[in-house]
Amino acid sequence: MAEALKKRSEMDPQFQWDLRDLIPTEKALEELFSELESGIGRYEGFKGRLGEDAAVLKEYLDHDVAMDLKFSRLLAYAIQKRDEDTSQSASQALLSRAQLLLSRAMEASSFAEPELLGIPEPVMKGFLEDGALSGYRLYLERILARKEHMLGEREERLLAGFGQTAAAPSAIFTMFNNADVRFQAVRGGDGEEIPVTHGSYGTLMESRDRSLRQAVFHSYYSSYRQFSNTLAAAYEGHVKQACFTARARNYSSSREMSLAANEVPEQVYDSLLETIGSRLPALHRYVRLRKERLGLPELHMYDLFVPLAGGTDKRYPYEEGKRLILEGLKPLGEEYGKLLETGFSSRWIDVYENQGKRSGGYSRHVYGCHPYVLMSYTDSLDSVLTLAHEMGHSLHSWYSDHAQPPAYAGYTIFVAEVASTCNEVILFQHMIRQAETREEKESLIFQLLDRFRSVMFRQTMFAEFEWETHKMCRDGIPLTADALCSLYHGLNEKYFGPDMCVDPEIDVEWARIPHFYYTFYVYQYATAFAAAVTIGQRIFDGDKNALEGYFNFLKGGSSMKPTELLKLCGLDMEGPGVVNAALDVFESLLGSLE
């Protein structure tokens, strides 16, 4: 019988992140709460005074940034404590306490932006020219650019107080998906009972036993189907909140509001959907090739993950996975490699799945502390790539934090996915070049094609689903489970083409995607993948200018607009060129296998 998941307390600490680097003791945690309580009280002393002179404004901004840094540390600690075991009520209570305090801080400081926007233009111009505020010039200019979307002080206070309520749908989904949902175990070919979990699902779907894949697929999605009405209500609540806020802030749509927050033109989104849509015949060719290689009369959704060549059956224990990443990413230079080694050896990473652990993976950083990575490593090539991906995020954060002041150290999601995916692309190229047999090389090419399918095509399909659901909400169309399943089924038929049997179970896949609660997030995986393919190939080929531009990009933080940061790498993201160039690579790889 397969081994059941261990409790958190039964795991080897060397494979768990060390949160003491964030907050070392319970005493330090309570001291941080006290400092934040006191800091909230200080906001009242600035009210009505921001236009007095540059010195007062700087004092306020220094205080606000200091509060942001403290809240960042507190929330990172609370979220990560919850995520390492979501069944623990104490961690849930800690996070709720931190979020409540943050909501109070947002209410207390809600006067600031309306007050800043009310400062007469000649006065603000003088402030911006004052040397004391030189470190905040871009920060203030970004606030002023949102002037038409800011409300009065009372309305801003109400919206700030609404924030914690607005987060409820996401919190409901998170608790359901990580603490409550259970999947029925399945029987293997030898009759043994095999548990189905978030962590094991991907590995089981790679099994060459088609009956097992089908059983796992049915088990997994049956659980979501059982709760589809509840999950539809949670998702509709999230979408309604986004649409309400967009209307309140005078945006034409929730998408415009979300993209504006990252300074990304909506044309980037539309261009992605249009360009991918025009190149779907390439994905249909891939589906047909997979069907032929597997020798199947019908290709089902549960056949999308089984390796198409023997080389991908290779297992990569964690130590081997780390060694492969260090070797494969050598084109990024010696310093980059040493930072990777530090992360691997200093407990930045929470490696293996345990009971109650949040599914998926992420990298989280706090200014003044090293980044952290959460994942569920399973010795698969996909786990190696996930580790490389998340460490790409982490080192992006490290370089940005060390090159930028706190106000500009953070970066938008749009550029974040470039750094992480670039690691994957370079690692893939290394492995393909080092392949010892034709079979291994072919299997790696198939894996890279699968990466295109799952990132460029599938994430664009997610982006189209998300945009359609937000438009439905805007137009007053209820987001029922049936409506969402129907929309999702149609998109799968469109994207995967005539050679794919779109199983009814997949209709409810939307109900398990956590990123749909990060409004208009998923499209950035596809745009970033396109950018990363271009950058990674240039670096792998030894282009020193590309490498220099890439490290300037990594150090840029939010000191420039995202599209301007990518121009440091020689990329223009506002047209279809970068996406088309990446799809040309996909078709070239596909053609070589056909």
Side-chain angles (χ1 to χ4, degrees):
M1 182 178 293
E3 185 179 354
L5 281 178
K6 292 182 178 180
K7 295 180 181 178
R8 181 80 181 177
S9 59
E10 298 170 339
M11 306 291 285
D12 188 337
Q14 70 170 314
F15 299 115
Q16 296 175 343
W17 53 29
D18 189 351
L19 298 186
R20 291 174 299 181
D21 293 344
L22 271 176
I23 298 177
T25 63
E26 285 292 322
K27 180 182 178 182
L29 176 63
E30 292 305 319
E31 287 174 352
L32 183 55
F33 269 109
S34 296
E35 290 172 14
L36 286 166
E37 287 274 5
S38 176
I40 289 172
R42 279 197 63 196
Y43 279 113
E44 185 66 25
F46 291 105
K47 192 173 180 180
R49 299 182 55 218
L50 300 186
E52 281 184 12
D53 56 44
V56 171
L57 181 53
K58 183 180 185 300
E59 184 183 356
Y60 166 78
L61 292 172
D62 287 344
H63 173 66
D64 195 52
V65 168
M67 289 288 286
D68 281 347
L69 292 177
K70 290 177 183 178
F71 266 115
S72 176
R73 188 172 291 264
L74 173 63
L75 287 167
Y77 181 82
I79 290 169
Q80 289 173 233
K81 287 294 290 182
R82 178 203 63 184
D83 289 351
E84 64 188 27
D85 187 350
T86 58
S87 67
Q88 295 297 310
S89 58
S91 298
Q92 298 169 26
L94 173 62
L95 179 57
S96 179
R97 181 185 173 194
Q99 290 173 329
L100 181 61
L101 193 64
L102 176 63
S103 182
R104 285 178 50 205
M106 292 173 66
E107 287 186 54
S109 62
S110 62
F111 70 90
E113 289 200 9
E115 192 171 313
L116 284 170
L117 294 172
I119 296 174
E121 186 173 340
V123 176
M124 179 57 78
K125 183 178 179 180
F127 286 177
L128 291 174
E129 292 172 353
D130 191 299
L133 286 169
S134 59
Y136 291 111
R137 183 182 180 90
L138 180 58
Y139 178 89
L140 291 168
E141 288 175 346
R142 283 173 169 156
I143 291 176
L144 295 174
R146 300 198 298 269
K147 187 170 185 175
E148 64 180 298
H149 302 292
M150 296 301 298
L151 308 177
E153 180 186 339
R154 181 174 181 275
E155 290 82 2
E156 287 294 335
R157 181 177 287 272
L158 287 171
L159 278 181
F162 177 60
Q164 191 163 357
T165 302
S170 177
I172 291 167
F173 170 81
T174 297
M175 295 310 300
F176 170 82
N177 204 45
N178 295 291
D180 294 338
V181 69
R182 295 290 183 270
F183 309 104
Q184 185 175 354
V186 299
R187 293 284 177 184
D190 57 2
E192 71 169 336
E193 187 175 87
I194 301 174
V196 178
T197 69
H198 286 303
S200 69
Y201 176 75
T203 301
L204 291 170
M205 291 304 291
E206 294 176 0
S207 170
R208 296 196 181 280
D209 182 343
R210 196 175 192 223
S211 296
L212 176 62
R213 296 200 306 270
Q214 185 177 7
V216 171
F217 183 76
H218 179 76
S219 168
Y220 200 67
Y221 285 106
S222 291
S223 294
Y224 288 101
R225 175 76 71 179
Q226 183 181 356
F227 296 99
S228 60
N229 291 315
T230 299
L231 293 168
Y235 180 61
E236 184 179 43
H238 168 76
V239 175
K240 282 183 173 179
Q241 175 270 326
C243 291
F244 165 78
T245 305
R247 288 195 302 271
R249 292 202 176 281
N250 301 310
Y251 286 99
S252 63
S253 69
S254 51
R255 189 184 75 169
E256 182 194 10
M257 179 180 68
S258 295
L259 269 64
N262 287 334
E263 299 180 293
V264 176
E266 283 193 279
Q267 176 58 28
V268 172
Y269 201 109
D270 289 331
S271 179
L272 173 68
L273 296 187
E274 292 165 7
T275 307
I276 291 289
S278 69
R279 303 286 294 267
L280 285 178
L283 180 59
H284 301 168
R285 283 171 56 197
Y286 164 84
V287 169
R288 186 160 55 250
L289 178 63
R290 173 170 275 276
K291 177 182 173 183
E292 292 170 357
R293 285 298 183 100
L294 291 173
L296 297 173
E298 292 183 341
L299 190 77
H300 287 259
M301 302 303 291
Y302 49 81
D303 298 319
L304 276 175
F305 307 98
V306 61
L308 291 179
T312 49
D313 283 339
K314 185 176 179 181
R315 310 310 292 170
Y316 300 87
Y318 185 56
E319 292 302 318
E320 170 64 14
K322 291 191 295 184
R323 185 203 63 76
L324 181 59
I325 290 170
L326 290 168
E327 183 68 27
L329 297 184
K330 279 186 176 179
L332 291 171
E334 184 178 350
E335 180 185 71
Y336 196 91
K338 287 181 177 179
L339 286 171
L340 284 171
E341 288 182 325
T342 298
F344 291 153
S345 63
S346 301
R347 294 181 61 186
W348 292 11
I349 306 164
D350 207 79
V351 181
Y352 297 114
E353 186 179 19
N354 56 253
Q355 290 183 24
K357 184 174 175 178
R358 180 195 186 276
S359 64
Y362 63 69
S363 171
R364 184 179 301 280
H365 82 286
V366 174
Y367 195 90
C369 182
H370 63 74
Y372 285 92
V373 166
L374 177 137
M375 66 178 303
S376 294
Y377 196 90
T378 61
D379 293 357
S380 65
L381 177 57
D382 188 64
S383 283
V384 177
L385 293 165
T386 297
L387 180 56
H389 179 102
E390 299 303 341
M391 288 302 287
H393 283 307
S394 292
L395 267 61
H396 186 185
S397 299
W398 191 94
Y399 277 105
S400 179
D401 283 1
H402 284 76
Q404 299 293 334
Y408 305 124
Y411 46 79
T412 67
I413 296 164
F414 186 82
V415 297
E417 292 305 328
V418 175
S420 55
T421 308
C422 191
N423 272 11
E424 290 188 66
V425 171
I426 294 173
L427 181 57
F428 252 123
Q429 294 286 20
H430 166 78
M431 294 181 69
I432 290 171
R433 179 174 290 183
Q434 297 296 316
E436 296 178 354
T437 65
R438 177 174 177 173
E439 182 184 52
E440 183 181 358
K441 185 172 185 176
E442 184 179 83
S443 72
L444 288 166
I445 292 174
F446 268 120
Q447 282 275 33
L448 186 51
L449 287 174
D450 278 341
R451 220 61 176 178
F452 273 92
R453 173 191 59 78
S454 63
V455 180
M456 285 203 73
F457 290 105
R458 186 167 179 258
Q459 298 295 335
T460 301
M461 185 182 77
F462 285 175
E464 188 167 348
F465 172 83
E466 187 174 14
W467 182 214
E468 290 300 320
T469 58
H470 279 251
K471 287 191 291 185
M472 288 167 65
C473 180
R474 181 191 63 190
D475 296 339
I477 301 172
L479 300 182
T480 64
D482 286 345
L484 294 172
C485 287
S486 177
L487 171 62
Y488 202 80
H489 184 92
L491 287 171
N492 273 280
E493 289 184 327
K494 170 185 172 181
Y495 274 74
F496 288 101
D499 285 287
M500 173 64 75
C501 292
V502 179
D503 303 279
E505 287 92 342
I506 206 67
D507 296 359
V508 77
E509 185 181 34
W510 58 267
R512 75 171 186 92
I513 308 300
H515 292 83
F516 286 153
Y517 292 86
Y518 312 155
T519 312
F520 295 104
Y521 183 109
V522 292
Y523 83 98
Q524 296 162 116
Y525 283 117
T527 54
F529 190 90
V533 167
T534 304
I535 297 168
Q537 187 64 59
R538 291 175 183 173
I539 292 173
F540 187 76
D541 289 340
D543 186 331
K544 292 184 179 180
N545 290 330
L547 185 62
E548 181 181 356
Y550 183 60
F551 275 94
N552 287 335
F553 160 80
L554 291 180
K555 296 172 182 177
S558 58
S559 61
M560 302 168 68
K561 291 182 179 180
T563 50
E564 295 299 316
L565 283 167
L566 284 169
K567 286 180 180 177
L568 298 174
C569 302
L571 304 183
D572 180 4
M573 300 302 298
E574 296 187 42
V578 176
V579 174
N580 267 323
L583 292 174
D584 288 343
V585 174
F586 176 81
E587 293 211 52
S588 175
L589 292 168
L590 186 62
S592 70
L593 292 174
E594 287 174 330

